[in-house]
Amino acid sequence: MDSSRNITEFFMLGLSQNPEVQRVLLVFFTIVYLVSVGGNLLIMITIFFSSTLGSPMYFFLSYLSFIDTCYSSCMTPKLIADSMYEGRAISFEGCLAQFFVAHLLGGTEIILLTVMAFDRYVAICKPLHYTNIMTRHLCGLLVGIAWLGGFLHSLVQLLLVLQLPFCGPNVINHFVCDLYPLLELACTNTYVIGLLVVANSGVICLLNFLMLAASYIVILRSLRSHSAEGRRKALSTCGAHFTVVACFFVPCIFIYMRPSSTLSIDKIVAVFYCILTPMFNPLIYTLRNAEVKNAMKNLWRK
């Protein structure tokens, strides 16, 4: 690998080079990070200590909050540090580490969101068989599959990067190490690798999103036979989940379902699904879920 590159670090341009804008970004992203980590940790603690949140839905939600906490911690602290100092260098190994962890967590979250949609489908469309189907063993197995799928996805991405020769430019026009900005710095034709990225990242995002959309169409059709209270409760939980899905999947599809290229709007889109979505998730699930809100209230009373 060393023979195909003569650079030891990358320099990140970040979101802005304007000192005034950087100070605003420092305050903004610090608040976002604290709210994101605090909110997701609160959900994990609430589910762990609450006896009323023992269903598979909350089991998966606790893992989603864990992933979002790690995902936010993988991205935001570096962005905050870059807003404080002039130097925005990151070592070659550090760049690859951030890249691998980000795709590991992102790939795992994509599969986990699909698993959560399957859980809602079984709960609403097959309520009499729900406890027999969604056993603790199956839930643990599905979470394990999500992590395995995320690992394999990230490993493929990393192997693609390791094939690239870097022999000159080392300025990344982004705030995070990602594949498309790295492809622009490679000293070779990256057309084929760009297609592999679309196949590995874009198609995975699109197929999972289509499966999620199809499952919710089936769920909505089945709700016609439910009572008004049953419809209200189902729409509340499914609405929260689909909002989270849209916030995460739509930006990912926009980034990875097109040929290898970078657009000026890519940084803003990346901020949305890398930084803001982990903060939105706990807000969406708590504001739209009475069980979680009541469990939090009971936790505070203890």
Side-chain angles (χ1 to χ4, degrees), residues 20 78 92 143 162-163 170 179 198 225 265 293 302:
E20 294 294 327
K78 180 69 169 66
F92 184 85
V143 170
L162 292 176
Q163 302 303 312
N170 68 335
L179 200 47
V198 172
S225 61
I265 197 175
K293 286 191 288 187
K302 290 182 180 180

Side-chain angles (χ1 to χ4, degrees), residues 118-139:
F118 172 72
D119 170 70
R120 290 299 83 206
Y121 164 77
V122 176
I124 295 171
C125 299
K126 301 180 182 294
L128 298 179
H129 305 284
Y130 181 69
T131 54
N132 292 329
I133 295 175
M134 300 303 296
T135 62
R136 201 71 176 178
H137 174 74
L138 179 62
C139 291

Side-chain angles (χ1 to χ4, degrees), residues 175-205:
F175 65 88
V176 65
C177 287
D178 203 3
L179 200 47
Y180 282 164
L182 289 173
L183 288 179
E184 290 191 338
L185 303 182
C187 308
T188 186
N189 189 310
T190 59
Y191 177 76
V192 174
I193 293 182
L195 293 179
L196 293 175
V197 173
V198 172
N200 185 35
S201 295
V203 173
I204 289 175
C205 289

Side-chain angles (χ1 to χ4, degrees), residues 29-284:
F29 287 121
T30 300
I31 294 173
V32 168
Y33 180 63
L34 293 175
V35 172
S36 177
V37 173
N40 282 294
L41 285 176
L42 180 59
I43 285 183
M44 285 188 285
I45 292 171
T46 302
I47 293 174
F48 183 79
F49 286 104
S50 176
S51 58
T52 62
L53 302 180
S55 68
M57 180 178 74
Y58 298 113
F59 175 77
F60 295 132
L61 178 57
S62 66
Y63 275 96
L64 179 66
S65 294
F66 173 74
I67 292 172
D68 281 337
T69 301
C70 297
Y71 198 48
S72 182
S73 298
C74 170
M75 303 284 188
T76 316
K78 180 69 169 66
L79 186 56
I80 293 172
D82 289 345
S83 301
M84 295 173 61
Y85 306 108
E86 291 295 329
R88 297 176 177 177
I90 183 171
S91 68
F92 184 85
E93 293 76 14
C95 181
L96 293 188
Q98 185 189 61
F99 171 80
F100 179 82
V101 173
H103 278 271
L104 167 65
L105 296 170
T108 303
E109 180 157 344
I110 285 173
I111 300 173
L112 184 61
L113 288 171
T114 307
V115 168
M116 293 174 73
F118 172 72
D119 170 70
R120 290 299 83 206
Y121 164 77
V122 176
I124 295 171
C125 299
K126 301 180 182 294
L128 298 179
H129 305 284
Y130 181 69
T131 54
N132 292 329
I133 295 175
M134 300 303 296
T135 62
R136 201 71 176 178
H137 174 74
L138 179 62
C139 291
L141 180 63
L142 291 174
V143 170
I145 291 173
W147 280 105
L148 178 60
F151 174 78
L152 293 176
H153 159 74
S154 188
L155 181 61
V156 171
Q157 298 286 75
L158 181 63
L159 292 176
L160 291 176
V161 173
L162 292 176
Q163 302 303 312
L164 297 174
F166 296 100
C167 52
N170 68 335
V171 178
I172 298 178
N173 186 21
H174 214 295
F175 65 88
V176 65
C177 287
D178 203 3
L179 200 47
Y180 282 164
L182 289 173
L183 288 179
E184 290 191 338
L185 303 182
C187 308
T188 186
N189 189 310
T190 59
Y191 177 76
V192 174
I193 293 182
L195 293 179
L196 293 175
V197 173
V198 172
N200 185 35
S201 295
V203 173
I204 289 175
C205 289
L206 183 60
L207 286 179
N208 278 275
F209 183 73
L210 292 177
M211 286 191 293
L212 285 162
S215 70
Y216 278 109
I217 291 174
V218 174
I219 288 172
L220 290 174
R221 288 176 60 88
S222 71
L223 286 178
R224 291 180 298 182
S225 61
H226 286 60
S227 65
E229 177 62 23
R231 285 196 297 268
R232 185 198 64 77
K233 186 175 180 181
L235 288 174
S236 177
T237 56
C238 291
H241 184 255
F242 194 77
T243 303
V244 170
V245 166
C247 289
F248 190 78
F249 275 83
V250 173
C252 287
I253 293 172
F254 173 79
I255 293 291
Y256 295 111
M257 270 303 292
R258 65 173 195 257
S260 175
S261 62
T262 56
L263 305 177
S264 57
I265 197 175
D266 284 354
K267 293 182 185 180
I268 305 302
V269 175
V271 166
F272 188 81
Y273 75 87
C274 292
I275 310 297
L276 298 182
T277 298
M279 179 188 70
F280 290 152
N281 287 357
L283 297 176
I284 292 170

Side-chain angles (χ1 to χ4, degrees), residues 21-33:
V21 175
Q22 288 181 24
R23 281 193 283 271
V24 174
L25 293 176
L26 170 64
V27 176
F28 174 72
F29 287 121
T30 300
I31 294 173
V32 168
Y33 180 63

